[in-house]
């Protein structure tokens, strides 16, 4: 694991997944554990990004959206539609239950986030249909943050570096590869 600010970024195959059959909830928990959670102002400062608490929460929301996109993409590629849908539904339940605690979000922000998330997912999906790489999707995330006034234009490359470091795209696939899911 590579220590990064207030959380750890997985750098190799996830060790918390047992090799045997897993419940949907266990898979969702493993995916959630692999995701970055609340990004503190201190963590952002490590990348040269000066952020007030509201800005840090906005960046966390975008990191959550792009992480969920890559998780859904991995589920879509590696699991059957029923398994994909059930696992993603379980993951959404975990996120709802940890929204204020791990993600440092206000409970009032959950409902608006769902609409924001769906819009972001559609944009990322379109990019990947056009052949965009993870770096291109991350660049779009940084551009969204800049266009929303969350970061300064000169901070886009810093956000790109942050995203590359903290969103474990390959690890999501590793968790789901050769996975056998059983009923809860």
């Amino acid at each position: 694991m590579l220590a990064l600010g207030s959380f750890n970024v997985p750098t190799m195959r996830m060790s918390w997944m047992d090799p045997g059959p897993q419940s949907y909830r266990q898979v969702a928990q493993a995916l959630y554990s692999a995701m970055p959670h609340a990004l503190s102002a201190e963590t952002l400062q490590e990348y040269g990004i000066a952020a007030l608490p509201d800005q840090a929460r906005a960046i966390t929301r975008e990191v959550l959206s792009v992480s969920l996109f890559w998780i859904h993409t991995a589920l879509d590629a590696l699991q059957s539609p029923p398994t994909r849908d059930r696992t993603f539904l379980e993951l959404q339940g975990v996120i709802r239950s940890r929204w204020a605690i791990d993600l440092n979000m206000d409970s009032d922000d959950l409902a608006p986030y769902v609409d924001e998330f769906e819009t972001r997912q559609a944009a990322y999906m379109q990019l990947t249909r056009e052949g965009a790489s993870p770096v291109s999707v991350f660049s779009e995330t940084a551009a969204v943050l800049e266009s929303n006034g969350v970061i300064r234009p000169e901070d886009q490359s810093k956000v790109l570096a942050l995203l590359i470091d903290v969103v474990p795209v390959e690890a999501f696939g590793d968790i789901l590869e050769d996975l056998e899911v059983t009923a809860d």
Side-chain angles (χ1 to χ4, degrees):
M1 298 288 241
L2 168 70
L4 180 66
S6 61
F7 58 90
N8 292 318
V9 178
T11 57
M12 61 184 82
R13 187 158 178 89
M14 302 299 125
S15 61
W16 55 76
M17 288 296 295
D18 292 329
Q22 303 292 313
S23 70
Y24 294 106
R25 183 80 168 162
Q26 288 171 311
V27 175
Q29 289 285 359
L31 290 166
Y32 183 76
S33 294
M35 294 171 47
H37 299 124
L39 297 171
S40 67
E42 294 80 22
T43 298
L44 296 172
Q45 188 57 50
E46 291 176 22
Y47 287 87
I49 304 164
L52 298 170
D54 285 346
Q55 291 169 302
R57 276 192 292 281
I59 294 169
T60 295
R61 284 166 61 126
E62 292 303 326
V63 169
L64 175 62
S65 291
V66 77
S67 294
L68 289 173
F69 170 74
W70 288 118
I71 289 170
H72 195 275
T73 299
L75 280 164
D76 198 41
L78 298 169
Q79 300 296 315
S80 68
T83 298
R84 174 200 62 211
D85 295 345
R86 177 76 188 272
T87 302
F88 202 72
L89 186 63
E90 287 289 338
L91 179 59
Q92 290 172 328
V94 172
I95 290 168
R96 270 190 230 86
S97 71
R98 307 302 297 174
W99 183 254
I101 299 164
D102 293 343
L103 297 169
N104 194 28
M105 298 291 175
D106 295 329
S107 58
D108 294 342
D109 291 341
L110 185 57
Y113 173 75
V114 172
D115 292 335
E116 182 181 301
F117 167 73
E118 290 173 4
T119 300
R120 206 71 74 238
Q121 296 305 293
Y124 295 152
M125 184 68 70
Q126 182 60 38
L127 285 171
T128 57
R129 280 191 200 120
E130 295 169 1
S133 68
V135 172
S136 297
V137 173
F138 291 152
S139 293
E140 175 66 17
T141 304
V144 165
L145 287 165
E146 190 271 325
S147 69
N148 288 341
V150 176
I151 63 168
R152 299 173 304 182
E154 59 269 22
D155 287 342
Q156 278 196 37
S157 62
K158 297 170 187 175
V159 169
L160 180 58
L162 170 82
L163 293 168
I164 290 169
D165 285 351
V166 303
V167 180
V169 176
E170 288 182 25
F172 298 143
D174 287 345
I175 291 170
L176 296 167
E177 191 173 47
D178 301 323
L179 181 69
E180 182 183 342
V181 181
T182 63
D184 294 325

